[in-house]
Amino acid sequence: MNTDLTLPTGADGELCELDLGIGGMTCASCVSRVERALKKLPGVASATVNLATETARVQWQAPTQAGATDTDTATMTARIQRAVRDAGYEPRAIEQPDGDTTPRLWGVPHDAWPVLLGMLLSLPLALPMVGDLFNKHWMLPAWAQFVLATPVQFVLGARFYKAGWHALKALTGNMELLVAIGTTAGWALSTWLWWRAEPGEMVHLYYEGSAIVITLVLLGKWLEARAKRQTTEAIRALQALRPDVAHLLPDGIKRTEITDVPVAELLPGDLLQVRPGERFPADALVSEGETQANESMLTGEPMPVHKRPGDSVTGGSLNGEGAVVIEVRAVGAQSVLNRIIALVQDAQATKAPVQRLVDQVAAVFVPVVLVIALVTLLAWLWLGAPPEEALIHAVAVLVIACPCALGLATPAAIMAGTGVAAQHGILIKDAVALEIAHKVSVVAFDKTGTLTRGQPRLLQLLPAPGVDADQALALAAGLQAQSEHPLAHAVVEALKDKPALVALPSSAVRAVPGRGTEGQVEGQPVRVGSLRWMDELGLALGDLAPDATRLQAEGATVSALAWGGRVHALLAFGDEPKAGAAEAIATLHARGLRTVMISGDNRGAAEAMARRLGLRPEQGEVMAEVLPGDKAARVMALKAGDVTVAMVGDGVNDAPALAAADVGMAMGGQGEGGQGGSDVAMHAAGITLMRGDPRLVAAALDISRRTVSKIRQNLFWAFAYNVAGIPLAALGYLSPVVAGAAMALSSVSVLTNALLLKRWKPGA
């Protein structure tokens, strides 16, 4: 568990950033108070506080004067912690959610003991309420009620007085202040009535109300804490993927045998042995052996991926049945797993735009409630009610108005939504991207590598009359076996699909730049190249000319195979749609979204591929012949007219377009079964799709829609609860006990509603 505060550093004039935990926050008013205290510090650029994670993120400008050192950063960090403490809260290190490490006494978590003790002391006070239902009088003597209620009020409830006092000193209010004032009023009223009663007189006391309210509030906060821990399960699951040790191979000098070393000590270049069933300890390349890697926790891809020497593996993925040797490539913060964890934590720490409304309400909520409670007291007294009755109604107003649910509504939903999305290979960079994505009406796709495989394939080989197609393929593959050109690779791969064929041996092979390849095969000169080259050489296509025209019109790249002074075959190359690309387009169309493909191909090729994918060129869903530098301008054009646009690309050459869109989605991996997004993808895009599956686009928009829906539901119920509860309490329809139970239930219900997002699955 990490218990150290990491001091941020930054170059002169750059923003420094610090994340720290904050203890003692309980409601939306606490959040506003801490943020105000932090923003008052000189140099602070922004401060964001999250109630659900009980953390704060502070950014400030690094010193620009000459001689600025790390001491300045340490001083600013100390000031930030002091400001939190002066505001009445406890600055502390952010504990990594690596499992349930709650201390226990006799098998009961320490944080549950105050609740249990409160119940034990409050139960005898509540028995008369139960007895009244059966016409039984189980009222305890006044001294017994005093003995039971006082420890609950001033020992178990001490936290409310402490936090409420800090709020008063800061001239603000919070949940604890409302609870402290309300329950103290009930306890003091009971003590006063008991003190002034005649010996032997039976008076109605209200000790049970104060004790039960404090116990219910403690119970609600404990249930909240348990629910909050569930919202961080996604991060805990990711962190659990990291093994503790790695098997370091001998280097022949210092180590002569395999040594088990902590993963934290690994260095790039280390050679490790990974045994069957173990997790890969770091990002690496396979050096020896073959295996299958299960990357489902990182990419959401359920099928194992075959790994052979030269293939990359991701730290945290599960090794299959093969023992392999790997060479470490990235460790620590540079590893894919750590970057994923950092992205999820960043998303959960950010504040959604809708939260600004909540903050504005919370800033004035508690003072308004105090005024309403005072008005309630005076109104009942004016109407002739006994002082104790008027006071009880005012106490009910104070208890039911606590803005706990209001502060938890948005961050709880964001934490649950981003967490479950990460488990399915969708990394959401921040809450802003999450909130905007549900409004997307146009989805623009880059073609190559996003909707298509990005690797040319030999689609068709058309031989001239009298020429054997298999012989022509074997001849072309022999000539291009040593070439690095993508079209040459496509020919060689096509030959592999026919195990009975063998490439014919070639010699004197020479690449002709911009034209093709020529060499000797079985003693005769053979050429494979563009139709333009054939025309330059005076080699006519003959009967193949109509086929060449047709294939080009369909968008294929056409090459010719020639020997003996004439063209003997045509080779048509083209990209292939990714698996699931057409399904993804159809899903988006079914949801009423417009889709657009942006391609650098000529219009004929682009429209031919678009129709294979289910796009509609006649409705403007194809943008062809677009240069890489012009993609961002095309995205900006799509945004005209207040349209929300999502751009999907590979995150490298599409970075400007991703940044220009309202929501950028960087598709990780090269081709299918990729290793996840590049650094450019993670920085330029608001959402990173960890595997090259276009169907994740619809899934990302869906989880955004569902999360925003949960936020709205939570905010509605949080506001509705207070709007309805305060008048009912003021009119005398709610007792303090019922108000306390309702307050606790509201917070738990908001968290429970948010946790329903954990059941989400793509396509469900």
Side-chain angles (χ1 to χ4, degrees):
M1 180 177 296
N2 176 23
T3 57
D4 295 329
L5 274 175
T6 302
L7 296 183
T9 58
D12 290 351
E14 293 182 355
L15 281 180
C16 291
E17 185 176 277
L18 173 69
D19 291 338
L20 74 158
I22 300 178
M25 294 193 303
T26 56
C27 65
S29 296
C30 299
V31 172
S32 299
R33 185 165 146 214
V34 176
E35 286 186 348
R36 285 198 303 270
L38 292 173
K39 290 176 180 177
K40 288 180 181 177
L41 292 174
V44 168
S46 67
T48 303
V49 178
N50 189 314
L51 177 62
T53 58
E54 296 182 341
T55 60
R57 171 165 293 175
V58 187
Q59 292 183 327
W60 71 92
Q61 201 75 21
T64 56
Q65 69 273 18
T69 65
D70 289 342
T71 304
D72 301 295
T73 299
T75 301
M76 189 63 184
T77 303
R79 287 176 178 168
I80 290 171
Q81 296 180 65
R82 178 70 59 83
V84 172
R85 193 177 301 279
D86 290 344
Y89 302 92
E90 183 69 23
R92 62 192 184 192
I94 296 179
E95 296 184 351
Q96 299 298 329
D98 51 2
D100 185 6
T101 58
T102 305
R104 294 176 179 269
L105 177 63
W106 298 334
V108 178
H110 278 194
D111 59 353
W113 274 107
V115 179
L116 291 178
L117 292 175
M119 289 180 174
L120 290 174
L121 294 172
S122 301
L123 184 60
L125 296 172
L127 283 177
M129 301 168 59
V130 179
D132 288 343
L133 300 175
F134 304 98
N135 293 321
K136 303 291 184 179
H137 299 287
W138 295 340
M139 183 67 68
L140 297 175
W143 67 266
Q145 295 184 50
F146 176 83
V147 169
L148 290 170
T150 301
V152 177
Q153 184 69 45
F154 297 105
V155 178
L156 300 181
R159 55 182 286 182
F160 302 113
Y161 289 100
K162 180 181 178 182
W165 172 244
H166 284 296
L168 279 177
K169 288 195 299 183
L171 299 179
T172 61
N174 57 14
M175 184 203 80
E176 284 89 350
L177 182 62
L178 298 179
V179 173
I181 293 176
T183 58
T184 301
W187 181 91
L189 174 62
S190 300
T191 304
W192 166 257
L193 293 174
W194 173 37
W195 178 75
R196 76 169 190 173
E198 297 293 334
E201 180 185 356
M202 288 294 295
V203 294
H204 184 75
L205 305 179
Y206 301 94
Y207 284 123
E208 82 283 351
S210 298
I212 292 174
V213 164
I214 287 180
T215 301
L216 287 173
V217 174
L218 292 175
L219 174 62
K221 302 310 292 182
W222 181 70
L223 292 174
E224 280 179 29
R226 289 192 61 193
K228 287 177 186 175
R229 285 194 288 269
Q230 292 184 47
T231 62
T232 60
E233 280 186 357
I235 294 179
R236 286 204 302 274
L238 288 170
Q239 290 173 330
L241 297 179
R242 295 180 291 206
D244 295 325
V245 297
H247 311 306
L248 186 61
L249 293 178
D251 59 6
I253 302 175
K254 296 181 180 179
R255 297 184 309 277
T256 57
E257 58 184 18
I258 296 178
T259 308
D260 286 349
V261 298
V263 170
E265 297 180 9
L266 293 179
L267 298 172
D270 284 343
L271 292 177
L272 309 176
Q273 182 188 70
V274 183
R275 297 160 187 166
E278 293 182 336
R279 293 197 178 274
F280 292 100
D283 295 357
L285 293 179
V286 177
S287 295
E288 300 176 16
E290 295 190 16
T291 189
Q292 301 279 334
N294 186 334
E295 302 172 340
S296 59
M297 276 302 295
L298 298 172
T299 66
E301 173 56 59
M303 297 301 295
V305 181
H306 186 73
K307 301 293 181 180
R308 55 174 62 92
D311 288 344
S312 60
V313 293
T314 306
S317 57
L318 186 65
N319 186 25
E321 298 180 353
V324 292
V325 174
I326 62 174
E327 180 183 352
V328 176
R329 289 292 178 173
V331 295
Q334 302 304 314
S335 67
V336 170
L337 178 58
N338 278 353
R339 295 207 307 272
I340 292 173
I341 293 173
L343 275 175
V344 177
Q345 289 175 327
D346 287 347
Q348 295 184 347
T350 55
K351 185 171 292 187
V354 71
Q355 186 70 17
R356 298 191 190 110
L357 172 62
V358 177
D359 294 341
Q360 292 170 359
V361 172
V364 298
F365 190 82
V366 174
V368 169
V369 169
L370 291 173
V371 172
I372 294 175
L374 179 60
V375 171
T376 300
L377 175 66
L378 297 176
W380 279 97
L381 290 174
W382 181 73
L383 291 172
E388 56 267 27
E389 182 182 348
L391 186 60
I392 288 301
H393 295 325
V395 168
V397 171
L398 293 172
V399 172
I400 202 168
C402 298
C404 308
L406 204 57
L408 291 169
T410 300
I414 289 173
M415 291 176 68
T418 55
V420 72
Q423 290 176 336
H424 291 92
I426 302 169
L427 297 185
I428 300 172
K429 186 175 181 180
D430 54 39
V432 176
L434 182 70
E435 188 168 337
I436 294 176
H438 85 283
K439 298 186 291 186
V440 166
S441 56
V442 176
V443 181
F445 290 90
D446 173 57
K447 181 181 79 73
T448 305
T450 303
L451 290 174
T452 65
R453 295 175 180 268
Q455 299 173 344
R457 297 181 62 194
L458 180 61
L459 303 179
Q460 200 171 0
L461 190 151
L462 291 177
V467 177
D468 183 72
D470 287 345
Q471 181 188 11
L473 179 60
L475 192 151
L479 185 65
Q480 297 192 309
Q482 305 303 317
S483 174
E484 295 297 325
H485 195 280
L487 297 184
H489 282 294
V491 173
V492 174
E493 289 298 319
L495 186 72
K496 291 180 181 178
D497 293 337
K498 297 186 176 183
L501 291 181
V502 178
L504 298 178
S506 59
S507 61
V509 177
R510 183 177 71 92
V512 182
R515 286 165 173 77
T517 305
E518 62 182 5
Q520 296 283 330
V521 180
E522 293 186 337
Q524 63 176 330
V526 178
R527 295 181 177 90
V528 176
S530 66
L531 299 184
R532 184 181 63 180
W533 189 29
M534 299 298 144
D535 186 57
E536 292 174 355
L537 295 173
L539 301 177
L541 297 180
D543 294 338
L544 294 174
D547 291 318
T549 302
R550 174 181 57 82
L551 290 171
Q552 287 180 322
E554 293 174 355
T557 299
V558 182
S559 295
L561 173 65
W563 72 84
R566 68 185 184 93
V567 173
H568 288 268
L570 295 178
L571 294 86
F573 299 92
D575 208 350
E576 282 286 285
K578 277 187 176 180
E583 181 184 343
I585 297 295
T587 300
L588 294 173
H589 283 168
R591 293 182 183 175
L593 301 180
R594 181 189 174 204
T595 55
V596 176
M597 185 183 77
I598 302 177
S599 173
D601 294 344
N602 65 70
R603 179 154 297 277
E607 291 188 355
M609 177 58 70
R611 289 190 173 88
R612 295 179 65 185
L613 293 166
L615 289 161
R616 300 164 293 206
E618 66 279 0
Q619 297 184 22
E621 293 191 345
V622 176
M623 294 184 178
E625 301 174 4
V626 180
L627 298 176
D630 295 336
K631 290 182 181 179
R634 296 299 182 98
V635 171
M636 294 299 294
L638 288 172
K639 291 170 63 176
D642 198 26
V643 175
T644 304
V645 176
M647 172 67 192
V648 188
D650 63 14
V652 180
N653 58 357
D654 297 318
L658 293 173
D662 295 295
V663 179
M665 295 189 189
M667 186 169 288
Q670 301 302 317
E672 300 186 15
Q675 284 299 320
S678 66
D679 289 332
V680 176
M682 291 187 174
H683 287 293
I687 298 175
T688 298
L689 310 178
M690 290 301 294
R691 66 180 189 272
D693 187 347
R695 288 169 291 195
L696 286 182
V697 175
L701 298 178
D702 184 52
I703 188 59
S704 167
R705 179 181 60 81
R706 292 174 185 260
T707 302
V708 171
S709 176
K710 288 297 181 187
I711 291 174
R712 289 174 174 170
Q713 292 171 18
N714 285 349
L715 288 176
F716 170 79
W717 288 113
F719 278 111
Y721 159 81
N722 286 121
V723 169
I726 292 175
L728 289 175
L731 294 173
Y733 292 108
L734 296 178
S735 70
V737 172
V738 175
M743 185 199 69
L745 182 62
S746 68
S747 298
V748 176
S749 63
V750 162
L751 283 164
T752 302
N753 187 45
L755 288 173
L756 292 176
L757 285 170
K758 294 173 61 179
R759 301 161 56 185
W760 175 84
K761 293 182 180 179

